[in-house]
Amino acid sequence: MREENIRIIFGLKIRQLRQAERFSLAALAKETGMSASYLNEIEKGKKYPKTEKIVLLSKVLKVPYDELVSLKLSSYLAPLNDLLTSKLITDLPLNIFGFDLGKMIESVYDSPAKVGAFISTIVEIAREYDNHKGDFYFKALRSYQEINENYFEELEKGVDTFIKQYGFPTDSPVEYEMIVNILRDKFSYQVENIALEEFPELASSRYVFIPNTKKNQLLLNPNLSPTQKLFIVGRELAFNMLEIKDRPHYSMLLEVDSFDHMLNSFRASYCAMAFAINRKILINDLEILFSKQTWDADLFIETFKRYKVSPELLFSRILGLLPRFFGIKDTFFIRLQNHPKQDKILLTKQIQLGNTKDSHIKNVYEHHCRRWVSIKLLDKLKQQQAKGKEPTMVADIQRSQYMDSDGEFLCIAIARPMAPTPDLNAVTVLGVRLNSTARKKIRFWNDAQIPRVEVNNVCERCTWTECPDRSVPPTQILAKEKSDKIKEALGKLKRSRS
């Protein structure tokens, strides 16, 4: 259990026992020789007294020492005890979400029934926690990114300092060899390829890290692209820059140990992104791209290729810069994956900033609207592969107008094969809500060559029954229509008999 939660439980006991003995804080202070302010800090879970003071408190409050320091609360606070001792609360660092557990605990005394019901609800969720721990961590991490608008100033400053210290270029993207040299010379790394002929089971693994007191080993999959290699060594450099020890040793998530483990991995990945894509350079490139009256696909591709990074990395970086440096706050980023021989399309990454909740997509949605540019690009890539062509990267742009609302998004998408994983394609989408701010900043938004397409979320809930791209019938709409007709018939029957 976290130390914070132990302090909270102890403070709750002291407060409950003090009130049971009808002591005010001042009276308890007089009996124990401790200050009232110090006792108040104890009750709020901010201080934990030394052994001799606990002995004194147990004597004055007439409770055995062992009972006072145990982690069990009275039946009155049983739901709270379940919450504080649950793995969900123990593993998740609530402070990074700005949540003060201590303040919530204080409210138990003001409205115990209401707060108790709320706590019981959380505990019910916690009981399912172990079965869905990895998925829960991913969702918590996504929320963490969203509340920070996918931009972390502390990490940016750390990267800036590191870049200055090691002479990284500030007017051009960083090179793979430069990072590898720093890993070798400064942090005693040996960077080699995985011997896949000896370990064919690792063909889908991007890297394996083997820590060693004399020389750390970073083994890379030889089938990785240059962009993937750059990201991995950049992240390795970030682990050392941040002095992170609790970290993954291989790319395949065989098991998620803790949220801290996942958060550390994210922080290192963020720094790797900042190493690879200097924000000042990218901001300047975006200003040039946005100033154009027409969409310049060649300029976009040329700019993208110059950074030598994956579409996911570039779009994630742009997503974090748009709110802070361009005032464009309503944006989203998604990555979809698809096996070319299957119709199922999976959402593997999603971040939504500002007012973009109407673009929400469920985790598995094989019947997501086929009119989005993302789905069309996956189909285009699949067609290339079916003809035996060498898989290439394809890009497109679209204005996506929701049929049942005024929500309209400018979407840029890039699809590519997910090497080294065989038979897996991915498409990454950066979407911007076309509100007044976006229209002012992105001059090409109304370019006639950008197709404007009506879209929806899923076929099952789409009211456009005659959609030419529909993959399944509108089952939920039809079910509602049937229900409405039954209600209408019941109403007529009731009126005819009255």
Side-chain angles (χ1 to χ4, degrees), residues 119-136:
I119 290 173
S120 296
T121 301
I122 297 178
V123 171
E124 285 297 318
I125 297 172
R127 286 172 182 165
E128 295 294 320
Y129 169 69
D130 277 335
N131 296 329
H132 308 282
K133 185 165 64 173
D135 186 48
F136 179 84

Side-chain angles (χ1 to χ4, degrees), residues 193-202:
N193 286 335
I194 300 174
L196 293 180
E197 62 276 6
E198 297 181 38
F199 304 98
E201 298 85 359
L202 302 179

Side-chain angles (χ1 to χ4, degrees), residues 23-40:
F23 279 128
S24 65
L25 275 172
L28 184 60
K30 183 177 179 180
E31 290 289 330
T32 60
M34 304 177 201
S35 68
S37 59
Y38 178 65
L39 290 169
N40 188 44

